[in-house]
Amino acid sequence: MLGLAGTSAWAAEVQLKLDLPRLNVAEYHRPYVAVWLEKAGEPGAAAQLAVWYDLKKPNNGGTKWLRDMRQWWRQGGRALSLPADGVSGATRAPGEAVLQLDRHPALASLPAGNYELVVEAAREAGGREVLRLPMSWPVKAAQQAKAQGEHELGAIQLSIKP
C-alpha cells in the first residue's frame, strides 16, 4: 500500500521469489498458486496475498480447481470472493516469479506478531505442494527465509528489509 510519500506500508520491502519448475509430464497445466499469511498459533489466514488461477475459462470455470489447493481453501480461500482486487491473477508459466508484497493493502493492517508465509501450488491432473516460511511483523531487522519444493514448487525465497 503506497502512502502519500510513495513509501510502502511500515516502510519495509517485502519480496517473495518463487520458482515454478518445468515438469516433463504428458498433460501439463500451469499450476494454481496461493500465497497467504497465518499468524503463529492461530487458525485461519491472517491475510490473503495472491491467488493465481485460470481467469479465462468460460463461466468462471477456473475457480472449480481452486479447492485442490486444500490448505488455502480451508484457511480462507473458500470465503474469498473471486476475482479479488489486488489478490487474483492469472497462472504463470514455468520460471521465476517475483511478488512485491510490501505494497499489498493487507500488510497495512496486519497486527504485530510472528507469522508464516504459506505458498501452495496445485495443478489440474497433477500434484499439490505446500511450503512455509517464517516471518515477523512489523519489520525491525532484515529477514531471509528459504524453502525448496520437490514437485510443484521449486525454490522459494522471502526477503524482508526495513
Side-chain angles (χ1 to χ4, degrees):
M1 176 177 212
L2 294 177
L4 293 175
T7 59
S8 60
W10 298 87
E13 181 182 314
V14 182
Q15 183 182 76
L16 175 66
K17 290 182 183 178
L18 60 107
D19 180 52
L20 300 174
R22 184 174 306 277
L23 301 174
N24 188 12
V25 294
E27 185 179 343
Y28 179 80
H29 297 274
R30 289 181 177 188
Y32 283 28
V33 175
V35 180
W36 72 97
L37 286 173
E38 292 179 3
K39 190 156 188 183
E42 293 183 17
Q48 296 287 346
L49 301 175
V51 58
W52 301 340
Y53 65 99
D54 191 342
L55 297 166
K56 294 183 178 184
K57 282 197 175 187
N59 302 318
N60 211 16
T63 59
K64 94 173 195 178
W65 297 101
L66 289 172
R67 60 182 57 103
D68 283 358
M69 292 187 291
R70 293 181 205 137
Q71 286 189 30
W72 170 78
W73 188 252
R74 289 183 198 122
Q75 299 302 323
R78 67 176 151 220
L80 192 61
S81 180
L82 295 168
D85 189 33
V87 175
S88 298
T91 58
R92 305 293 202 284
E96 185 178 270
V98 179
L99 287 86
Q100 281 303 131
L101 299 174
D102 47 283
R103 294 186 176 97
H104 201 288
L107 293 184
S109 59
L110 193 65
N114 293 319
Y115 291 87
E116 282 190 318
L117 183 126
V118 187
V119 179
E120 183 170 15
R123 283 183 310 109
E124 295 176 40
R128 183 180 77 77
E129 188 164 23
V130 179
L131 296 175
R132 297 173 172 272
L133 300 172
M135 66 174 274
S136 297
W137 194 260
V139 179
K140 296 178 181 167
Q143 301 173 50
Q144 287 266 342
K146 297 178 182 181
Q148 178 64 47
E150 296 179 14
H151 308 288
E152 302 301 325
L153 292 166
I156 64 171
Q157 178 179 345
L158 178 64
S159 299
I160 305 175
K161 298 176 187 171

